[in-house]
Amino acid sequence: MTDEATRFRLDIAYQGTDFNGWGRQPALRTVQGELEAALATIFRRAGEPPQLTVAGRTDAGVHARGQVAHVDLSAEQTAVLRKPHGKRPPLEPQDALARRLNGVLGPVSDVVVLRAGAAPTGFDARFSAVWRRYEYRVADRASLRDPLQRHRTAWVSADLDAHAMDVGAHGLLGLHDFASYCKAREGATTIRTLLDFTWRRDDDGVLIGEVVADAFCHSMVRALVGACVEVGEGSLTPGDLVELRDARERTSAFKVMPARGLTLMEVGYPGDAELALRAEQTRGLRTL
C-alpha cells in the first residue's frame, strides 16, 4: 500500500450456489470478479481498477455470512467517494463505498457488502486473521428436510449419531498436519491448528457442525465433515479419525462432502496494535 492509498475493510455475505468460488477466473462468474467489476464501475474515471485481498478463498458453491476482504484506494479514488452521489448528501468514504458497491451489484444480488470501514494500521484481511469459523449443515433421516434450505444443506439417507460425531470431532483438535484431510497443493503446507470442532442438532433436527481453525487448507472442512458423517453412520469410530489424520495421506475411508452445506460464518482478528505482527507471523512457514 502506497503512502497515498487508504485501506478499507469490507465485510461480505454471499450465496455461493451460482458462483465458481471466490477467486477471479476468466469467463467464469466468481465473487471476486463480481465485486471487482463493481469497483471498476465506481472508479472508471479514477485510475487503475482496485483489486481485493480476501481472508479466505472459498470453493465453488460455498456460502459466506462473514467473509472479509480489503481494498486499497488511491487518493483520487477516495475523493470520488467524498463527492455527492445523485441528490443524496455526501457520506463518509467507507459508507459511500458500501452503498455504491451494493447499488452496482443490484437490489437482489447474491453477494452483498454488509459494511465497509477504514482499516486500522497494519490490517491485512488475509494475513492478520487469527481464526476462521465455518458452519456445515447436514440433514439426515431424523431431520426436517426444508426445501427452502436445500442450497445450504447436505442431505444424507442415514440416521446419524450426533454424539459420536461430536466425540470424533473433539479428538482432532490441536496443532497437527492435516494432509489426510486436505487436497494437496504444490508448495502449500497442510499444518493447521484446529481450535474447535463440535456437532449439535438445531430445532429442526438438522446437524450443525461448527469448525474453527487458524486457517484451513483446500477442502479441509468438507473432508473433516465427511469423516464425521462416517462416524455418525457407524462406518468409522472416533478413534479412526485420529489414526487417519496421523497417517498424513489421502484416504478413501470417507467422502468429501458437497460444497452447498458449507458457510463461512466469521473471521477473527487480534487487537489493532497486534495486526501487523500477526500478518508478519502468518507469512512465515508453518511447522510442527
Side-chain angles (χ1 to χ4, degrees), residues 14 20-23 31 54 56-64 67 134 264:
Y14 47 88
N20 289 277
W22 167 271
V31 183
V54 72
R57 293 164 61 98
T58 50
D59 294 337
V62 176
H63 318 293
Q67 181 67 279
Y134 281 86
L264 173 59

Side-chain angles (χ1 to χ4, degrees), residues 30-189:
T30 68
V31 183
Q32 183 179 16
E34 290 292 293
L35 288 167
E36 288 184 349
L39 287 167
T41 297
I42 294 168
F43 300 112
R44 58 188 176 276
R45 297 187 183 89
E48 291 294 318
Q51 296 186 352
L52 295 167
T53 297
V54 72
R57 293 164 61 98
T58 50
D59 294 337
V62 176
H63 318 293
R65 282 186 169 173
Q67 181 67 279
V68 179
H70 75 247
V71 61
D72 295 332
L73 300 183
S74 67
E76 182 183 8
Q77 290 165 340
T78 303
V80 169
L81 297 175
R82 295 185 185 279
K83 295 178 181 179
H85 187 60
K87 297 181 179 180
R88 301 188 185 99
L91 299 171
E92 290 298 316
Q94 61 269 23
D95 299 325
L97 179 59
R99 178 174 289 184
R100 293 194 189 187
L101 278 170
N102 287 327
V104 174
L105 292 167
V108 290
S109 177
D110 49 4
V111 55
V112 174
V113 177
L114 301 173
R115 66 192 67 86
T121 301
F123 177 81
D124 185 292
R126 177 185 177 189
F127 290 111
S128 295
V130 291
W131 50 262
R132 286 90 170 160
R133 178 169 65 90
Y134 281 86
E135 179 182 283
Y136 197 97
R137 293 169 50 88
V138 181
D140 66 352
R141 283 194 293 225
S143 310
L144 174 66
R145 296 198 173 193
D146 183 353
L148 299 183
Q149 299 290 345
R150 68 191 185 280
H151 290 307
R152 57 186 297 261
T153 308
W155 292 356
V156 298
S157 298
D159 293 312
L160 300 179
D161 183 336
H163 175 69
M165 293 169 67
D166 191 56
V167 172
H170 185 78
L172 294 171
L173 300 184
L175 173 65
H176 301 284
D177 188 336
F178 284 92
S180 303
Y181 295 98
C182 296
K183 186 175 181 180
R185 283 184 169 176
E186 185 176 355
T189 179

Side-chain angles (χ1 to χ4, degrees), residues 12-34:
I12 303 161
Y14 47 88
Q15 184 184 55
T17 305
D18 295 328
F19 287 111
N20 289 277
W22 167 271
R24 75 176 81 87
Q25 300 180 58
L28 292 176
R29 185 171 186 260
T30 68
V31 183
Q32 183 179 16
E34 290 292 293

Side-chain angles (χ1 to χ4, degrees), residues 168-251:
H170 185 78
L172 294 171
L173 300 184
L175 173 65
H176 301 284
D177 188 336
F178 284 92
S180 303
Y181 295 98
C182 296
K183 186 175 181 180
R185 283 184 169 176
E186 185 176 355
T189 179
T190 51
I191 296 171
R192 298 290 188 270
T193 301
L194 193 59
L195 299 168
D196 196 21
F197 190 8
T198 60
W199 285 96
R200 61 178 174 83
R201 289 189 185 271
D202 68 7
D203 293 340
D204 290 332
V206 175
L207 286 145
I208 308 295
E210 187 173 277
V211 193
V212 184
D214 58 347
F216 293 93
C217 44
H218 188 43
S219 81
M220 179 175 166
V221 179
R222 292 190 289 132
L224 290 170
V225 171
C228 286
V229 167
E230 294 293 334
V231 171
E233 291 180 348
S235 300
L236 294 174
T237 69
D240 289 336
L241 302 194
V242 175
E243 291 185 12
L244 289 170
R245 180 199 65 201
D246 293 343
R248 301 183 187 180
E249 58 185 21
R250 293 291 280 181
T251 174

